[in-house]
Amino acid sequence: MKALASLALCASFVLPTAASAQQPTTAQGDRPAVTFDEIERGIYFAVLGGPLFITNPPAAEGTPRPFSSGPMAQVEVGVDLGERVSVGLFLMGSSVRTSAQYVGNSGGAVSGDFSSLIPGAVLRARLVGFADSQEVKRTWFYVRAGAGYAMFSPERLLPDSDILVFAGPGVEYYTRLRHFSVGLEVTGQYLVSGGSFGFAVAPNIRYAF
């Protein structure tokens, strides 16, 4: 009897240990790979530049308003609100070459070329996107619109500031460098007080953080 009792006691310790040893061990899988978005969106910085054309520069009534042109450059900082909408702030500068007959609002005291500096706000709405072979929408057609406070130089030629409003279509391509996109847009422009119409053709590049 004592032998049977000793055997039973040993079995009570050995059998659970053997059973636990036969349970399969859970294999630890590989660490998940880090993935990146094909297109970065968020806070961005953009640079635009190109020719600017003005059909009738601001001037006093009865004075010449010749068709004029010159270079335009713009920097913009903003944020993407999802895939389709962006808002930002910009600073635009231009240098307009015109004829010697252009006297602006100086009353004939000065004549010739003028420049402008315009801070303002802008909104970009992406309307239609096209996917590439990897089903990533890299090409977008958009509309960009904004308004700014226009200040002119020399002040004797154009002493009064004005409000600039602009809008127009563009096309944007998101490169495979993730952070960068390039584009081209054409915007119609209007100076509210001066009643001046113009348009700009602006290639651009954008970097999103």
Side-chain angles (χ1 to χ4, degrees):
M1 278 306 278
K2 291 183 178 180
L4 291 176
S6 300
L7 183 61
L9 182 62
C10 291
S12 65
F13 286 104
V14 172
L15 290 176
T17 303
S20 62
Q22 293 177 1
Q23 291 180 357
T25 58
T26 302
Q28 294 186 354
D30 295 334
R31 296 179 61 183
V34 178
T35 59
F36 297 96
D37 294 332
E38 288 288 338
I39 296 173
E40 288 290 338
R41 291 186 173 90
I43 297 174
Y44 68 86
F45 175 79
V47 178
L48 304 87
L52 169 68
F53 305 91
I54 303 178
T55 59
N56 54 341
E61 187 175 354
T63 62
R65 305 179 73 178
F67 182 88
S68 306
S69 64
M72 178 275 297
Q74 185 176 157
V75 294
E76 179 182 333
V77 177
V79 62
D80 295 317
L81 304 178
E83 183 180 62
R84 292 183 176 267
V85 178
S86 303
V87 293
L89 301 175
F90 70 86
L91 182 64
M92 179 192 305
S94 66
S95 178
V96 178
R97 297 184 294 270
T98 186
S99 68
Q101 288 74 35
Y102 176 71
V103 297
N105 290 316
S106 69
V110 294
S111 63
D113 304 343
F114 66 93
S115 61
S116 65
L117 185 65
I118 308 169
V122 67
L123 180 145
R124 181 189 306 234
R126 299 172 184 86
L127 305 179
V128 181
F130 297 94
D132 62 7
S133 60
Q134 297 178 336
E135 299 301 321
V136 178
K137 289 185 178 180
R138 295 190 183 277
T139 303
W140 285 88
F141 287 94
Y142 66 87
V143 173
R144 183 169 175 268
Y149 184 74
M151 299 167 285
F152 304 101
S153 178
E155 290 188 7
R156 292 186 64 191
L157 184 68
L158 292 169
D160 300 321
S161 57
D162 207 334
I163 299 297
L164 174 75
V165 293
F166 62 89
V171 60
E172 183 177 26
Y173 175 75
Y174 288 89
T175 71
R176 296 181 184 274
L177 297 178
R178 292 179 51 230
H179 296 275
F180 287 95
S181 65
V182 293
L184 176 68
E185 66 180 52
V186 179
T187 53
Q189 303 189 357
Y190 180 67
L191 288 169
V192 176
S193 298
S196 300
F197 292 93
F199 66 95
V201 180
N204 56 79
I205 184 170
R206 201 181 81 130
Y207 181 89
F209 297 90

